[in-house]
Amino acid sequence: MKSIVDQSHDFLKDVLHKGAICIDATLGWGKDTDFFLKNNVRKVYGFEIQQVVFEQTVSNIKDSHFVPVFDGHQNMDAYVKEEVDAIIFNFGYCPGFDSQVKTNPKTSLEAIEKAVYLLKKKGRMALVIYPHEEGREESKAIEMYLKKLDSHAFYIEKRTQLNQDHSPYLIGIEKLK
């Protein structure tokens, strides 16, 4: 069976094309940005708040379609001025780096609200959520917000492993209108 991150890529793949605009809202080491770029999209914005991670990832991704942004994802609307085809978030912390620096409910919700607005009709957003002890509050806040979105405007699904508590899970969102 595929990992949740691989499932998130499968969910997003259908909306990727040569003219696609994408956002990697939690850049980290650039795995999701690499996925977008390998699908020959027009542009990928990548948001990161940790200087060392940002610099290393930017130096590793040598592609003119990549727009690195050293800022929090909650500020994406200050950089992205066009409709977006695909957006991905991986909530929590950057694996292999400072686990004390992590996403939080306030800025994550602000980012998701802005991402929903930026998403074009038929665009998709993947939220990869890690409901570890500190991430439970964030995951509950995200789900409460998403449950309030109009079901005629957004299709929202949740993929989870039923027989394991606190396993990572995927929320896939498609903007219908």
Side-chain angles (χ1 to χ4, degrees):
M1 187 156 229
K2 292 184 177 184
S3 73
I4 287 295
V5 172
D6 289 338
Q7 289 181 50
S8 71
H9 291 175
D10 287 347
F11 176 74
L12 295 171
K13 192 168 182 121
D14 288 344
V15 299
L16 302 181
H17 51 85
K18 197 164 52 169
I21 305 297
C22 305
I23 297 175
D24 183 347
T26 47
L27 180 63
W29 302 119
K31 182 176 180 179
D32 297 317
T33 292
D34 284 339
F35 160 72
F36 287 139
L37 293 171
K38 285 177 182 165
N39 279 280
N40 300 311
V41 300
R42 183 169 56 142
K43 190 184 299 182
V44 180
Y45 294 91
F47 291 85
E48 180 56 54
I49 61 168
Q50 296 180 87
Q51 184 83 38
V52 173
V53 174
F54 179 78
E55 289 172 359
Q56 186 173 340
T57 301
V58 169
S59 71
N60 289 336
I61 300 175
K62 309 251 190 281
D63 193 304
S64 62
H65 302 280
F66 174 49
V67 180
V69 181
F70 183 62
D71 201 352
H73 51 208
Q74 72 275 16
N75 300 317
M76 68 175 63
D77 59 332
Y79 302 91
V80 183
K81 303 296 183 189
E82 55 207 322
E83 286 189 315
V84 177
D85 296 273
I87 304 170
I88 190 164
F89 288 83
N90 276 281
F91 296 100
Y93 58 89
C94 183
F97 204 66
D98 186 355
S99 63
Q100 297 305 306
V101 178
K102 54 183 86 81
T103 57
N104 68 72
K106 182 183 181 301
T107 57
S108 294
L109 283 175
E110 189 176 342
I112 292 169
E113 289 174 11
K114 291 177 179 181
V116 163
Y117 175 77
L118 289 168
L119 205 59
K120 71 188 320 183
K121 181 180 178 182
K122 295 296 181 187
R124 289 187 175 183
M125 181 168 25
L127 311 178
V128 179
I129 299 175
Y130 299 86
H132 48 78
E133 198 166 317
E134 293 122 0
R136 283 190 209 124
E137 179 186 339
E138 183 176 44
S139 64
K140 286 178 189 174
I142 289 169
E143 287 193 32
M144 283 178 43
Y145 168 75
L146 294 175
K147 286 178 181 181
K148 295 176 185 174
L149 292 179
D150 181 358
S151 63
H152 294 95
F154 297 93
Y155 171 79
I156 303 172
E157 68 178 27
K158 180 179 176 180
R159 297 180 192 174
T160 188
Q161 186 177 345
L162 289 177
N163 61 347
Q164 184 182 5
D165 287 339
H166 314 301
S167 65
Y169 64 96
L170 168 65
I171 295 178
I173 302 164
E174 184 173 318
K175 191 171 191 175
L176 303 175
K177 58 182 179 177

